[in-house]
C-alpha cells in the first residue's frame, strides 16, 4: 500500500460529498494506491490520536469489489474518531466515516463504528463522558434501525447519566437514506444541516417487550451448566480438511468484504 496527500480531484469529490478541506486535513484523509486500485483512505486513530490502521473507500467510478476494506486486514472495530470523544458535550452516533466527516464539517460532534452499524461493542458505552447528550442517527435501512435499537438499549441499561435521543431522518431520503443524503437535501433547499438535524431530534421511548415482562413474572431461575476442564475426556479429531476444518466443530471463516468467504463456503458445502 502506498499513501499520499489527497490530490485535488479527490478533494473536490469529497467537497461535493459535503466534507470540508478543514476536516480532510484534520482527519488526515489520504489518497491510497493498493491492489492495483486507487482509494480514499481514512486513518483510524487510537485514544491519543495516533494512526493505527486505514479504512479504504473505493472511488465512485471504480466498479470493482470490494467497495471498502481495512488495511492491514484483521484490525478490530473501534470508534472513529476516538481521540475526540473525551471532549464531547453533545455527540451524534452515526454510520460510517464519510457521514461522520460530513457532521464534523458542520461543527457537529460525531462518532461512528469503523466496521458497520451492527458492530457497536458493549464496552464502548463506558468510553463516553459522563452526563452528556448522545443522539443516535443511523441509515434508514434495516441494518440502521437494528443498530439504533441495540445501542439505545445498551445506553439505557449501562449509562443512566446520559441523555439519549435520536434523529428521525426524513423518509423522502429513500430506504437507504443517510446523513450525506440529508446534507445534499439541505444544500438544495438552502438550509443548514445543523439546524435541520436539531429539528429532527426526538426523545427515545423504551417499550417493554413481552419477553421482558414474561421473564419478570417467571419466578424460576436459570443456572449455568458447567463442566470442570479436568473432567473433559480427550478425543481424536476427525478432519474434513486436514489442519483446517474438524468434523462436527465450529469453524470461523474470516476476511474483509469481497475476498470470497461466501464462495469458499459454497464450494466446501458442495463437496460434502
Amino acid at each position: 500500500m502506498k499513501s499520499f496527500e489527497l490530490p485535488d480531484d479527490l478533494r473536490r469529490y469529497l467537497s461535493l460529498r459535503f466534507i470540508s478541506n478543514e476536516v480532510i486535513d484534520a482527519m488526515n484523509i489520504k489518497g491510497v494506491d493498493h491492489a492495483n486500485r486507487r482509494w480514499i483512505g481514512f486513518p483510524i486513530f487510537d485514544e491519543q490520536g495516533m494512526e493505527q490502521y486505514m479504512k479504504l473507500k473505493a472511488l465512485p467510478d471504480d466498479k470493482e469489489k470490494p467497495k471498502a476494506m481495512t488495511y492491514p486486514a484483521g484490525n478490530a472495530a473501534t470508534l472513529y474518531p476516538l481521540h475526540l470523544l473525551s471532549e464531547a458535550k453533545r455527540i451524534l452516533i452515526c454510520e460510517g466515516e464519510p457521514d461522520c466527516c460530513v457532521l464534523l464539517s458542520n461543527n457537529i460532534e460525531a462518532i461512528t463504528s469503523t466496521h458497520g452499524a451492527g458492530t457497536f461493542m458493549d464496552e464502548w458505552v463506558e468510553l463516553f463522558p459522563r452526563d452528556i447528550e448522545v443522539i443516535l442517527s443511523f441509515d434508514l435501512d434495516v441494518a440502521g434501525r437494528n443498530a439504533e435499537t441495540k445501542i439505545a438499549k445498551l445506553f439505557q441499561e449501562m449509562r443512566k447519566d446520559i441523555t439519549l435521543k435520536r434523529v428521525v431522518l426524513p423518509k423522502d431520503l429513500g430506504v437507504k437514506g443517510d446523513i450525506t443524503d440529508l446534507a445534499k437535501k439541505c444544500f438544495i433547499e438552502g438550509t443548514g444541516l445543523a439546524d435541520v438535524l436539531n429539528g429532527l431530534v426526538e426523545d427515545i421511548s423504551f417499550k417493554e417487550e413481552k419477553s421482558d415482562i414474561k421473564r419478570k413474572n417467571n419466578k424460576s431461575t436459570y443456572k449455568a451448566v458447567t463442566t470442570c476442564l479436568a473432567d473433559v475426556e480427550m478425543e481424536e479429531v476427525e478432519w474434513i480438511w486436514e489442519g483446517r476444518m474438524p468434523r462436527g466443530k465450529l469453524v470461523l471463516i474470516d476476511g474483509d468484504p469481497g475476498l470470497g468467504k461466501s464462495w469458499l463456503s459454497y464450494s466446501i458445502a458442495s463437496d460434502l
Side-chain angles (χ1 to χ4, degrees), residues 137-262:
S137 180
F138 289 91
D139 298 357
L140 288 173
D141 55 14
V142 174
R145 292 197 300 272
N146 290 341
E148 179 184 287
T149 300
K150 170 191 173 182
I151 296 171
K153 287 183 177 179
L154 286 177
F155 276 98
Q156 181 199 26
E157 294 169 0
M158 301 172 63
R159 294 296 303 272
K160 302 294 186 183
D161 61 294
I162 282 180
T163 301
L164 191 63
K165 297 187 177 182
R166 66 191 287 255
V167 167
V168 183
L169 291 175
K171 291 183 179 180
D172 62 5
L173 297 181
V175 294
K176 294 186 177 182
D178 59 15
I179 289 293
T180 299
D181 294 322
L182 181 62
K184 180 179 179 180
K185 177 182 172 70
C186 291
F187 176 77
I188 293 172
E189 296 177 352
T191 54
L193 179 61
D195 291 336
V196 170
L197 277 172
N198 283 333
L200 297 173
V201 172
E202 65 176 33
D203 293 331
I204 295 179
S205 59
F206 294 96
K207 296 180 180 179
E208 192 170 40
E209 298 179 359
K210 291 181 179 179
S211 58
D212 295 328
I213 298 172
K214 184 177 179 180
R215 280 196 295 270
K216 287 182 179 179
N217 295 333
N218 187 352
K219 295 183 178 180
S220 63
T221 57
Y222 298 90
K223 295 182 179 180
V225 178
T226 60
T227 302
C228 178
L229 187 58
D231 296 332
V232 177
E233 296 183 2
M234 294 183 62
E235 60 180 35
E236 185 176 352
V237 177
E238 182 182 355
W239 296 98
I240 297 174
W241 182 1
E242 184 68 31
R244 290 181 171 85
M245 187 170 292
R247 183 179 299 278
K249 308 299 180 182
L250 179 65
V251 177
L252 179 66
I253 301 176
D254 180 56
D256 285 321
L259 294 182
K261 299 186 296 295
S262 296

Side-chain angles (χ1 to χ4, degrees), residues 20-188:
S20 67
N21 280 322
E22 290 77 12
V23 168
I24 290 173
D25 294 335
M27 297 293 104
N28 200 21
I29 300 173
K30 306 174 181 179
V32 174
D33 286 332
H34 176 63
N36 297 317
R37 298 168 65 189
R38 179 154 291 189
W39 310 76
I40 297 174
F42 291 79
I44 306 303
F45 308 96
D46 63 14
E47 291 183 84
Q48 286 71 46
M50 302 297 293
E51 295 182 15
Q52 299 300 298
Y53 60 95
M54 192 87 71
K55 285 299 297 296
L56 305 181
K57 308 289 185 180
L59 304 186
D61 57 351
D62 187 345
K63 305 304 180 185
E64 294 186 44
K65 292 184 178 181
K67 294 297 184 182
M69 66 184 301
T70 301
Y71 184 89
N75 279 283
T78 187
L79 291 171
Y80 171 91
L82 180 57
H83 62 296
L84 301 182
L85 178 58
S86 62
E87 303 299 324
K89 304 298 182 185
R90 180 180 192 252
I91 194 162
L92 194 149
I93 302 177
C94 62
E95 189 173 338
E97 295 85 9
D99 274 7
C100 188
C101 287
V102 169
L103 292 166
L104 294 173
S105 297
N106 286 270
N107 297 315
I108 301 168
E109 293 178 300
I111 203 158
T112 185
S113 171
T114 58
H115 284 50
T119 61
F120 196 95
M121 305 293 183
D122 295 14
E123 57 266 28
W124 294 350
V125 173
E126 300 297 340
L127 299 176
F128 286 73
R130 289 193 58 80
D131 303 314
I132 68 169
E133 184 177 74
V134 172
I135 304 170
L136 308 182
S137 180
F138 289 91
D139 298 357
L140 288 173
D141 55 14
V142 174
R145 292 197 300 272
N146 290 341
E148 179 184 287
T149 300
K150 170 191 173 182
I151 296 171
K153 287 183 177 179
L154 286 177
F155 276 98
Q156 181 199 26
E157 294 169 0
M158 301 172 63
R159 294 296 303 272
K160 302 294 186 183
D161 61 294
I162 282 180
T163 301
L164 191 63
K165 297 187 177 182
R166 66 191 287 255
V167 167
V168 183
L169 291 175
K171 291 183 179 180
D172 62 5
L173 297 181
V175 294
K176 294 186 177 182
D178 59 15
I179 289 293
T180 299
D181 294 322
L182 181 62
K184 180 179 179 180
K185 177 182 172 70
C186 291
F187 176 77
I188 293 172

